[in-house]
Amino acid sequence: MLESLADILGAVTDFGARVDALFLVMLAASLILVAALVALVVGFCVRYRRGRGDHAGPRLDHRLEYGWSLALLAVFLGFFAWGAWVYVDQQRVPDGTLQIRAVAKQWMWKFHHPGGQREINHLHVPAGRPVEIVLASEDVIHSFYVPAFRLKQDAVPGRYTRTWFEADAPGVHRLFCAEYCGTQHSRMRGTVTVLSPDEYAQWLAERTPDEGLAEAGARLYSALGCSGCHEPGSQVHAPGLRDLYGRPVALASGETVIADEAYLRDAILLPEKHVVAGFDPVMPSFSTQIEEADLMRLIAWLRAESRAGGNDGRP
């Protein structure tokens, strides 16, 4: 209970502090406006009550009406611009973030660190470093919600969404699903533990798996038979995948798309959706053969291969 109250009363990220500032200023402006309106209503009720004998005075000057209407409009537009600035700035993921992939499933959160470490319903991150969460869902819509970060982002089936934060100091914070996802929705809870950089490095070292996320993707690339078609020496005429992520791809339809995570996901699950120019649509769909977590591993490997080839992996 005390932890939840602390999460509500104090934001622990720069974005959260900016959200709190906007909220408090809007709350103060609303209270001032309500107090002014109540004072006017009470004053008019007393001044012009029945039986007082006063007659109606002159009509209100239209310039005064226009003045307060335009003043309120300016205030509300100012709040809109402030909120839009905070929102748009939050959507820009900074360079050099620690990217952690999260898969939502009834009723749990599964986290995958770049080094291959996995967690369920508990997420460990370093303080003072931007952390990007790439979200996917295996079933229905879920929502990644950390009140202390003032952060909420939906995880939508069939696509990737992302959000990011930078925690100011170590601490433990509550994680919830904020989208009704089934009968046990209320039990889909977890924690986000913010560690100092040294403690986070020690935590990673103590949980180092046999292979990292990209290494697991490379293994899947061979196990699923992808290398039999997409390697340069293969007999099947298929597009090369190495150094692909983040680059423009010309399609048979005449369009050009960027090979981002959404494109790669569709290329694996819905290969006929984006047929590459100069190639026949002969690739089978892997929609019934691969899980969401394995998709993330494959894409992590493709990103790593693209960076090794000189591409930074950002479209």
Side-chain angles (χ1 to χ4, degrees), residues 163-183:
T163 187
W164 72 278
F165 59 86
E166 182 177 346
D168 298 333
V172 181
H173 310 285
R174 298 294 185 92
L175 165 65
F176 300 95
C177 176
E179 188 75 30
Y180 181 72
C181 55
T183 55

Side-chain angles (χ1 to χ4, degrees), residues 36 72 89 153:
L72 287 176
D89 194 52
Q153 178 62 57

